Amino acid sequence: MNTENKDVEQVNIPTVAAQNVGASIKQLVLQELKAQPNVWQKMTEVQQLESIGRVDRGIRQTVTAAINTMASGSMTRVSGYVEQINIKDKIKLTVIVNKSNNSEALAELYESGNECDCQIVLVDSDQYVGGMDLIDLSESDQGELVDNEDNLLWCVVVPIRQGKSVVPAPSHQLAEAFARRCRDVLINHDSDLAACVYAMPYQQNKAGHARMLKQGHWEQLQEWYKKLEAGDIEAEVVGLIEYVAEEVI
């Protein structure tokens, strides 16, 4: 017997695999942080989702590899899935082995030939990564379509004036009241023009709605209405309605 081996502690493969899971996940997260094109708040929703996807796949692969190693210990391990099972006098399994397995493990499987002894270990790593699909920290590029009180944001559609034809309104009530006043003025001249003016929920993001209000578009619309009511301007359809996404700042 080689006495030099007496003081050498036997390596416990499952223990080592379990201890290294944390280090592997930490390395994965650090690599993803280095790969990000910008700070999280300045990344687009697509970039955020891509980053989350890479972390998700990396954690699943790391945990699966650790669970498989802990289950098999130091024995040769070949992963696959059971395609078919027949139970008669004996239990016959048809196992599909992935070609992505370690080449040395596959070579040992090939050399073992028919009727070799093996041990089947049922491993399900999904139970250790449960709930990951519920975590999504991505932020929509379009922002919110409701205000702080969960009310829809509203606007007035006025395709009969030069300038903005879709103007955000401070509230639903003001949007409906303005549209009604416009229709009352226009109905005596042209019912088709009157039908062009109406209130509706704002289709763009919350930031764009607030920015247009701050820029005074609602007040400009009120001045336009006063001129229309006084007969200083004539109403006519000046263009089709087309929503253009506002840039979120």
Side-chain angles (χ1 to χ4, degrees):
M1 178 182 292
N2 188 345
T3 56
E4 294 180 356
N5 292 334
K6 289 183 179 180
D7 297 329
V8 177
E9 183 180 357
Q10 184 177 3
V11 177
N12 187 319
I13 299 296
T15 300
V16 172
Q19 292 173 344
N20 289 338
V21 172
S24 298
I25 293 177
K26 180 179 180 179
Q27 183 180 20
L28 168 70
V29 173
L30 290 176
Q31 288 176 345
E32 183 57 34
L33 289 174
K34 293 178 181 179
Q36 288 185 353
N38 210 328
V39 296
W40 187 261
Q41 290 79 3
K42 294 185 178 181
M43 291 168 59
T44 65
E45 183 181 6
V46 172
Q47 291 173 327
Q48 291 176 349
L49 290 174
E50 289 176 347
S51 178
I52 293 173
R54 288 191 295 268
V55 171
D56 185 279
R57 291 190 296 271
I59 291 178
R60 291 182 187 276
Q61 292 171 359
T62 299
V63 172
T64 298
I67 296 300
N68 289 340
T69 301
M70 287 185 284
S72 61
S74 59
M75 296 180 291
T76 301
R77 180 183 75 252
V78 178
S79 64
Y81 65 93
V82 177
E83 183 183 56
Q84 187 178 18
I85 178 171
N86 292 321
I87 303 176
K88 295 182 180 178
D89 295 337
K90 297 181 179 179
I91 300 175
K92 183 177 181 180
L93 295 178
T94 300
V95 179
I96 304 300
V97 175
N98 301 319
K99 289 186 177 181
S100 59
N101 279 279
N102 180 277
S103 58
E104 294 181 359
L106 289 175
E108 187 171 339
L109 174 65
Y110 302 152
E111 294 172 0
S112 63
N114 296 331
E115 298 183 359
C116 67
D117 292 330
C118 66
Q119 184 177 24
I120 298 175
V121 179
L122 300 179
V123 179
D124 181 13
S125 60
D126 289 344
Q127 60 182 307
Y128 299 100
V129 291
M132 289 181 60
D133 295 336
L134 302 178
I135 301 176
D136 183 4
L137 300 179
S138 61
E139 301 173 2
S140 174
D141 294 338
Q142 296 303 313
E144 301 175 5
L145 298 179
V146 297
D147 60 19
N148 294 331
E149 297 179 353
D150 292 333
N151 296 316
L152 283 173
L153 301 176
W154 284 78
C155 65
V156 178
V157 179
V158 192
I160 57 175
R161 65 184 286 262
Q162 297 291 339
K164 293 286 185 181
S165 56
V166 178
V167 181
S171 68
H172 179 197
Q173 292 79 7
L174 289 175
E176 291 286 6
F178 178 85
R180 185 168 55 252
R181 291 200 309 269
C182 281
R183 289 195 297 268
D184 290 343
V185 172
L186 294 169
I187 195 68
N188 297 324
H189 303 284
D190 191 324
S191 59
D192 291 336
L193 289 180
C196 292
V197 181
Y198 55 91
M200 66 174 290
Y202 190 62
Q203 299 298 302
Q204 305 303 324
N205 56 69
K206 180 179 178 181
H209 187 278
R211 182 167 58 253
M212 289 185 66
L213 284 176
K214 186 177 181 180
Q215 291 173 347
H217 290 281
W218 179 252
E219 287 74 15
Q220 295 170 17
L221 186 63
Q222 306 309 307
E223 294 299 322
W224 171 85
Y225 169 76
K226 291 179 181 178
K227 294 179 181 179
L228 177 69
E229 186 179 31
D232 296 336
I233 57 175
E234 293 185 2
E236 61 178 347
V237 177
V238 296
L240 298 177
I241 301 301
E242 180 180 358
Y243 286 111
V244 179
E246 296 277 354
E247 179 183 359
V248 179
I249 300 177

